[in-house]
Amino acid sequence: MKKRIIAAVVALGIASATYSQTSDALNRLEAGIETSYAQMERMTCTYELTRQVSLLSDAAHEKGTLTYSKSHRTLVLASLTTAGDSTIMNHTGITNVSGGKRVWTDAARSTALRQMLDIVMACFSGDFRGVRAAGNVTAKDLGGTTEVTFVPTDRRVLRHIGSITLSFGNDDYGLRRMTVVQRGGDFMAYTFGKKKVESRGTGRK
């Protein structure tokens, strides 16, 4: 009985410490993102995408440019690997442009898509506080970066998404990496770099 009590106390202590670390790291990250992005009007950066699909023997790779417009609340991923292809995101859905054809997916029809879009858009809009409701959230301050992992609790989301992991730089609170793991093990991993920000009254920096 004593061993069980001791084990329970230790487990409770570990859980409490983990919660405290997560809360502290999230609070710092949210405040940093809010402050850093307050004056931002437009941001551009490069991206590299690695996509692993179980039906394919090799992972697919793509490079391109990302543009976020705060006034339009729109994120555009323009592929440099396949000229003319792009993905346009906002809170209402996604438009995929490929081979001259445009396909619109309404987020209102998919809880998983809507939640993923809310998280992705929050990384660039500066309003990151609302994403805590996305599921179980853990955060770790790794020194140069802060890593945040979301594990959905909604069964409708869990059928499609196993986890979303985000890595932010602690110097400018910019998104460095995003990995979306699907339930079957397939994943998409984005790496971002060469960021340029246009702010109100200051131009580029």
Side-chain angles (χ1 to χ4, degrees):
M1 179 62 74
K2 288 184 178 180
K3 290 182 178 180
R4 290 182 181 178
I5 294 174
I6 293 173
V9 170
V10 171
L12 182 62
I14 292 173
S16 177
T18 300
Y19 174 81
S20 177
Q21 291 170 4
T22 287
S23 181
D24 291 346
L26 270 180
N27 288 338
R28 286 194 298 271
L29 178 64
E30 289 166 353
I33 289 176
E34 186 174 341
T35 301
S36 297
Y37 285 56
Q39 301 298 317
M40 183 190 75
E41 288 293 336
R42 187 172 181 268
M43 189 204 75
T44 61
C45 68
T46 61
Y47 75 84
E48 294 188 19
L49 167 63
T50 300
R51 181 190 291 112
Q52 179 67 61
V53 180
S54 57
L55 296 178
L56 301 177
S57 57
D58 297 319
H61 301 277
E62 178 181 303
K63 293 184 178 181
T65 59
L66 178 152
T67 303
Y68 175 76
S69 170
K70 194 171 187 178
S71 59
H72 294 93
R73 301 182 70 188
T74 300
L75 186 70
V76 179
L77 298 167
S79 175
L80 295 176
T81 303
T82 307
D85 286 6
S86 63
T87 301
I88 305 166
M89 304 181 190
N90 56 36
H91 287 282
T92 62
I94 294 180
T95 299
N96 284 302
V97 181
S98 180
K101 296 181 179 179
R102 300 170 68 93
V103 178
W104 161 255
T105 304
D106 190 347
R109 297 185 176 184
S110 170
T111 303
L113 177 59
R114 185 173 67 250
Q115 190 170 100
M116 186 182 74
L117 285 174
D118 287 345
I119 292 173
V120 172
M121 298 301 289
C123 295
F124 299 95
S125 68
D127 182 16
F128 199 72
R129 297 183 185 275
V131 301
R132 293 199 191 203
N136 292 325
V137 183
T138 58
K140 298 178 181 178
D141 188 331
L142 303 177
T145 60
T146 295
E147 185 177 273
V148 182
T149 300
F150 299 87
V151 177
T153 53
D154 190 316
R155 291 182 179 180
R156 294 169 296 180
V157 180
L158 275 171
R159 284 199 293 265
H160 304 281
I161 300 173
S163 66
I164 298 176
T165 301
L166 310 168
S167 179
F168 295 88
N170 286 342
D171 53 349
D172 62 356
Y173 298 99
L175 184 62
R176 299 284 192 269
R177 185 176 174 85
M178 176 178 69
T179 303
V180 180
V181 180
Q182 297 177 324
R183 290 292 292 177
D186 299 344
F187 70 87
M188 295 185 298
Y190 286 88
T191 302
F192 305 98
K194 298 182 180 179
K195 186 177 74 170
K196 295 181 180 179
V197 175
E198 294 180 20
S199 301
R200 289 196 293 269
T202 60
R204 291 190 175 185
K205 64 178 183 178

